[in-house]
Amino acid sequence: MSEWIPVEGLRIAIDGPSGSGKGTIATMVGKALGLVVMDTGLLYRFLGWRVNDLGIDLNDEPAVVAAVDSAVAEMDWRAEGIFFENRDCTPLLRGEDVGAYASKVAAISAIRKQLLELQRKIAASGCVMDGRDIGTVVLPDAEAKFFLTASHRERARRRWVQLQQSDAEVTLDQIVDDLKARDARDSGRDCSPLERAKDAIEIDSTTMRIDEVVDRILAVLERRRLIS
Ligand code: DC
């Protein structure tokens, strides 16, 4: 049983750059509140992976848009992960290469528009949703919004530790380069760039433990009477 009771339909938006800890934090907040956690990065990762797997050039925008159209119809996005052809393909989506494909697909505005309704529908009955544009574009009226940050070095270190479990070949320097490229693409794109919503609470987690960040979020929610 969860420790807290959220108000009905509570939607919590958690945004931040790669390695800011939003995935882990969202999972822990969701668990504490008994809310479904939806990782929107996984959605873009699946689409990037699928388009690449079909042999489509990720720079060929019309071809990518057409492929994404059918990929969305073929997948089943659940709280546990993304299912494709009746199997959970989430473990295939976590690598750095797929992150780079995802970032390219995510920069195409037609694709972002297409995914809006899907994300809103899933969030409607209450959830913790994490991504880059949840507080600004997907759920601008979310009941609570948080924007997580951490220093560049700390983010790269966290990502490296995480990847040691799968992609052991990746070096810290490669991750730093990849983070920089991805930050530039995610923050510099015209459509729904990564940015803090004006009404989001920013938490710099560089020197904080995970449980301290979670406690801070829960304290905000309790103070606003969104949980009891
Ligand atoms: O959080 P992540 O690393 O799994 O996200 C993969 C890519 O998807 C990342 O480059 C940014 C993009 N993304 C996005 O543009 N909007 C979101 N809401 C979530 C992810």
Side-chain angles (χ1 to χ4, degrees):
M1 213 177 92
S2 49
E3 305 150 45
W4 297 89
I5 301 172
V7 295
E8 206 177 324
L10 176 61
R11 292 159 309 154
I12 303 172
I14 302 187
D15 289 303
S18 179
S20 59
K22 61 187 185 315
T24 310
I25 304 294
T27 303
M28 291 180 68
V29 170
K31 202 168 165 208
L33 304 183
L35 284 177
V36 163
V37 179
M38 300 307 291
D39 168 6
T40 58
L42 204 55
L43 191 56
Y44 291 99
R45 281 173 179 267
F46 169 75
L47 297 173
W49 171 77
R50 181 69 182 135
V51 169
N52 182 67
D53 209 44
L54 288 168
I56 292 162
D57 175 1
L58 281 147
N59 298 309
D60 181 350
E61 203 172 304
V64 173
V65 171
V68 161
D69 219 27
S70 23
V72 169
E74 288 168 337
M75 64 160 200
D76 182 10
W77 184 30
R78 306 181 199 162
E80 309 89 276
I82 295 210
F83 289 70
F84 174 65
E85 293 179 339
N86 288 325
R87 68 191 174 105
D88 182 3
C89 62
T90 314
L92 300 174
L93 308 178
R94 295 290 183 197
E96 285 300 272
D97 50 345
V98 180
Y101 307 150
S103 177
K104 288 194 172 177
V105 167
I108 301 175
S109 67
I111 293 177
R112 300 197 75 90
K113 277 194 197 119
Q114 188 190 349
L115 297 177
L116 265 184
E117 278 322 301
L118 173 67
Q119 294 172 89
R120 286 178 180 158
K121 209 167 124 194
I122 282 184
S125 50
C127 74
V128 180
M129 188 167 261
D130 78 86
R132 303 291 194 288
D133 62 339
I134 309 306
T136 48
V137 178
V138 179
L139 305 174
D141 56 348
E143 287 72 24
K145 302 178 186 178
F146 298 91
F147 191 81
L148 299 186
T149 59
S151 74
H152 210 261
R153 216 182 153 63
E154 174 60 15
R155 287 166 47 210
R157 190 196 63 77
R158 289 177 191 168
R159 191 82 184 116
W160 183 76
V161 170
Q162 207 177 46
L163 287 170
Q164 289 309 293
Q165 292 150 21
S166 52
D167 248 341
E169 301 295 303
V170 184
T171 66
L172 188 59
D173 282 346
Q174 281 172 302
I175 296 181
V176 170
D177 289 347
D178 178 66
L179 261 186
K180 282 184 184 161
R182 213 127 58 91
D183 275 2
R185 251 199 314 260
D186 294 342
S187 306
R189 66 180 176 226
D190 294 335
C191 178
S192 307
L194 166 68
E195 61 181 346
R196 182 173 78 83
K198 285 190 182 65
D199 52 349
I201 293 180
E202 183 162 341
I203 302 177
D204 181 341
S205 69
T206 309
T207 59
M208 290 173 81
R209 290 194 320 266
I210 291 170
D211 58 316
E212 291 174 317
V213 179
V214 172
D215 282 349
R216 184 165 310 169
I217 290 177
L218 295 177
V220 169
L221 297 173
E222 188 184 18
R223 205 167 52 237
R224 292 193 187 167
R225 299 178 194 277
L226 292 169
I227 61 173
S228 55

